[in-house]
Amino acid sequence: MTKQNHYPFEASLRRLEELVEQMENGELSLEASLKTFEEGIKLTRECQLALKQAEQKVSLLVEKNGEQPFETD
Amino acid sequence: MALDNLSTNKGHNRAVISVANLNQMARRLLEGEFPMIWVEGEISNFVKPSSGHWYFTLKDSSAQVRCAMFRNRNQVQKVIPKDGLKVLVRGKISLYEGRGDFQLLADTLEDVGDGELLRTFEELKVKLQKEGLFDEAKKKSIPELPAHVGVITSPSGAAIQDILNILKRRFPAIKVSILPVQVQGKGAEQKIREALVFANNYTKPPFDVLILTRGGGSLEDLYPFNSEITARAIGETNIPIVSAVGHESDTSISDLAADLRAPTPSAAAELISPDQYEWNYNLERNKQRLNQRMSIVLKNNLAHVRHLKKRLQHPRQRLQELNQRLDNLELRLINKSRFDETKRKIERVQQKLIDNINNKMTTNNNHFMSLANRLDTLSPLATLKRGYSITSPTGERGKIITNANNIKKRDAIDIRLSTGIISAEVKKIYD
């Protein structure tokens, strides 16, 4: 996965909160508002989708053999 | 019936009580006299009937006592009694009335061997505490949402299943890696230390948080988590560690050394994971706030545009207004020039009139003068100057007497001369 996906949710949610605050506090121009809004909605969709599609990934880490899949029930 | 009543009733007034009463009184006495006590002994004749209660005999080299431990108490014991096991029993003294057996109602059981472990545990705890290994200031904070969680535990235990279930339910997007270790028995603490070192150096991807855990067990089972080696390995790890060892009531050295203590493995999983529903709720709320804000911005801008548009229409109206004013001024200007012209005309005419009149006046004056001259020549005054006179009846100066028949004798007459008037009386008339 790409670097951006290392903290996908946390960073996205933080950014989203930042955007909402900007919209609510700042006297943004129409153009800036639209840009902020667009980015916010995009982030929301991405997060919601990622949450919906997330599947638990479990592996067994053994020093000598590295990563092995771990059977879960 | 009270005991002192019994002791005063002697001789033929003896009071007889039933066995049941006796046993009841004896039980009350025993239960009232003895506080909660600890007794050390060896277990024998241990039985566990279907009721779930435990019964055994506690004995030493010279004596024995019956013991009962009821289900509600024995369920929370870590020590499972077996014949020959040396234990410490905490309980109350009582009497089983049905058999008249004096007995100990056990509340807590401890393995005598554990006493040694407990002492070591307490000593180590004090030592590490003095060193500052448990200091709050040293505790790392647990990330709000870890991307990668390492679980140091037995891969076959119940703990790992509990953790995976909770994480799957709460936030499946968290990647979980299990670092399998031996959690009890000889050398387990070394395995735990190795796993912690391994986790600390792992980078594919690095761990955001570690869970060090195992399920409940005897004090001996839990020993690896109460060892100095484990405690120091925890202290040397740079990743936040949540420790969940044994039952809720146990506090291990690793719990104290870790950054956060969880009462159970499940609780540890809950502590490190956000709730996806909460997150979804937050996302939805933020989306709504964005939408709200956006519609306000749009509305405001639209209103502004409308306002501007209205103001933009003004120039046309003003232009019309100005045009009108211009027309008005033009008209007034034209009128004014016409007026001026008329005024000039009038003035000219007036001047002409004045001139005319003046001319006429002059002419008339001249004419008058000539007429006056002529009149003068025709006037009787000139005739009078030549010596003629005009006679009129007195009082009727406009009437001139030109015929002597028109007057009578004695009539008063006025005779006008060139200069002066003579009043006279007619004396005689001549035809």
Side-chain angles (χ1 to χ4, degrees):
Chain A
M1 288 269 185
T2 55
K3 190 177 153 200
Q4 173 200 349
N5 283 327
H6 182 54
Y7 279 102
F9 301 103
E10 198 171 24
S12 296
L13 193 71
R14 223 172 263 161
R15 176 74 185 138
L16 183 59
E17 267 160 9
E18 213 176 276
L19 293 174
V20 171
E21 266 165 40
Q22 270 177 24
M23 287 278 279
E24 286 181 345
N25 301 338
E27 294 275 310
L28 291 183
S29 67
L30 178 62
E31 200 180 345
S33 289
L34 277 169
K35 257 188 191 161
T36 310
F37 175 72
E38 205 177 321
E39 191 186 341
I41 293 297
K42 196 170 148 240
L43 273 177
T44 314
R45 286 222 188 93
E46 280 171 7
C47 281
Q48 283 175 328
L49 199 69
L51 274 178
K52 212 171 148 190
Q53 292 177 340
E55 275 177 31
Q56 192 176 42
K57 283 184 193 129
V58 184
S59 55
L60 208 57
L61 281 186
V62 189
E63 210 165 339
K64 283 165 198 159
N65 305 324
E67 206 168 313
Q68 291 171 7
F70 182 74
E71 295 300 317
T72 55
D73 305 334
Chain B
M1 209 184 295
L3 286 176
D4 45 354
N5 286 344
L6 282 176
S7 58
T8 55
N9 290 337
K10 289 175 187 163
H12 53 270
N13 284 332
R14 64 192 167 182
V16 179
I17 58 165
S18 67
V19 179
N21 271 344
L22 172 66
N23 283 0
Q24 192 185 37
M25 283 189 290
R27 183 173 68 83
R28 283 186 187 158
L29 181 68
L30 285 169
E31 285 179 357
E33 273 314 291
F34 284 89
M36 199 64 110
I37 50 163
W38 285 96
V39 186
E40 186 176 347
E42 189 186 309
I43 289 175
S44 67
N45 300 324
F46 173 64
V47 288
K48 194 173 145 190
S50 59
S51 63
H53 306 315
W54 291 347
Y55 300 101
F56 54 89
T57 303
L58 196 64
K59 63 173 191 181
D60 58 21
S61 54
S62 59
Q64 58 181 41
V65 63
R66 293 289 307 155
C67 294
M69 188 171 221
F70 298 121
R71 209 168 67 139
N72 62 335
R73 290 305 309 164
N74 69 35
Q75 273 176 338
V76 296
Q77 299 307 312
K78 278 173 265 169
V79 178
I80 308 296
K82 61 182 182 205
D83 288 354
L85 184 70
K86 284 198 167 148
V87 290
L88 289 173
V89 181
R90 178 179 179 265
K92 276 184 75 87
I93 307 304
S94 185
L95 187 119
Y96 175 43
E97 291 177 30
R99 288 169 60 107
D101 274 357
F102 157 69
Q103 64 177 4
L104 185 63
L105 295 180
D107 176 73
T108 308
L109 272 185
E110 271 182 19
D111 192 328
V112 171
D114 286 352
E116 192 60 35
L117 284 174
L118 271 175
R119 253 192 308 282
T120 327
F121 172 86
E122 286 302 328
E123 279 166 14
L124 179 62
K125 193 167 130 183
V126 170
K127 179 181 158 193
L128 296 178
Q129 199 150 29
K130 273 187 186 156
E131 281 184 31
L133 204 78
F134 309 150
D135 282 1
E136 280 302 316
K138 277 191 177 174
K139 309 248 180 245
K140 295 176 275 296
S141 60
I142 308 299
E144 195 188 339
L145 173 59
H148 189 196
V149 176
V151 187
I152 301 172
T153 191
S154 158
S156 56
I160 185 63
Q161 289 306 330
D162 288 350
I163 286 173
L164 291 178
N165 287 340
I166 298 284
L167 288 182
K168 195 174 190 173
R169 173 167 61 77
R170 281 178 67 86
F171 218 94
I174 296 173
K175 180 177 159 65
V176 186
S177 292
I178 301 163
L179 294 100
V181 290
Q182 180 190 331
V183 292
Q184 64 191 64
K186 212 173 165 212
E189 64 269 30
Q190 284 298 346
K191 299 288 173 201
I192 292 169
R193 191 187 67 84
E194 282 165 22
L196 283 168
V197 171
F198 177 69
N200 206 27
N201 298 324
Y202 195 75
T203 52
K204 300 178 286 180
F207 291 105
D208 301 311
V209 66
L210 295 173
I211 300 177
L212 177 60
T213 187
R214 66 150 287 152
S218 69
L219 195 57
E220 197 185 341
D221 289 343
L222 301 183
Y223 173 73
F225 296 85
N226 285 325
S227 73
E228 190 168 349
I229 289 171
T230 304
R232 294 202 185 280
I234 290 171
E236 282 160 14
T237 305
N238 297 322
I239 306 159
I241 298 177
V242 182
S243 168
V245 175
H247 290 297
E248 195 164 343
S249 53
D250 303 322
T251 299
S252 63
I253 296 283
S254 82
D255 286 347
L256 295 169
D259 299 298
L260 187 66
R261 176 193 181 248
T264 61
S266 300
E270 288 199 8
L271 284 172
I272 59 126
S273 60
D275 183 345
Q276 61 167 325
Y277 299 105
E278 208 173 288
W279 272 55
N280 261 324
Y281 172 76
N282 268 339
L283 283 170
E284 200 52 46
R285 225 193 57 217
N286 277 319
K287 196 171 124 188
Q288 276 173 13
R289 279 165 74 187
L290 274 177
N291 272 324
Q292 263 172 22
R293 204 60 217 173
M294 194 63 233
S295 65
I296 288 172
V297 169
L298 284 176
K299 225 193 234 168
N300 286 346
N301 275 285
L302 200 66
H304 194 203
V305 167
R306 283 208 183 112
H307 181 64
L308 285 178
K309 199 176 151 199
K310 263 186 200 159
R311 283 171 59 193
L312 264 177
Q313 284 178 338
H314 275 182
R316 188 186 292 164
Q317 278 183 6
R318 277 211 50 194
L319 216 59
Q320 283 172 347
E321 269 173 31
L322 282 174
N323 249 326
Q324 216 167 348
R325 239 176 93 191
L326 201 64
D327 288 346
N328 200 359
L329 284 173
E330 195 186 351
L331 280 174
R332 280 170 62 191
L333 203 65
I334 292 169
N335 284 344
K336 175 84 159 66
S337 58
R338 275 194 194 142
F339 173 77
D340 286 350
E341 205 181 310
T342 313
K343 196 179 163 193
R344 273 198 300 279
K345 229 181 207 168
I346 290 171
E347 278 170 359
R348 269 203 307 277
V349 170
Q350 206 173 22
Q351 194 55 49
K352 253 185 200 165
L353 272 174
I354 291 170
D355 290 353
N356 229 331
I357 285 171
N358 280 347
N359 282 344
K360 278 207 173 114
M361 290 271 281
T362 314
T363 316
N364 285 349
N365 203 32
N366 290 346
H367 190 213
F368 173 75
M369 288 307 282
S370 76
L371 284 177
N373 282 340
R374 279 169 66 189
L375 198 64
D376 200 37
T377 54
L378 294 173
S379 157
L381 292 177
T383 314
L384 289 180
K385 270 187 181 165
R386 288 200 307 271
Y388 295 94
S389 62
I390 299 164
T391 307
S392 325
T394 299
E396 291 173 273
R397 205 173 278 174
K399 206 172 177 182
I400 295 168
I401 304 166
T402 52
N403 192 343
N405 294 331
N406 289 349
I407 53 165
K408 301 174 304 273
K409 208 179 166 183
R410 299 200 193 269
D411 274 356
I413 52 164
D414 286 343
I415 304 155
R416 179 182 291 255
L417 307 175
S418 173
T419 306
I421 296 165
I422 301 164
S423 233
E425 200 181 272
V426 178
K427 273 182 169 174
K428 201 174 177 169
I429 296 167
Y430 306 95
D431 294 325

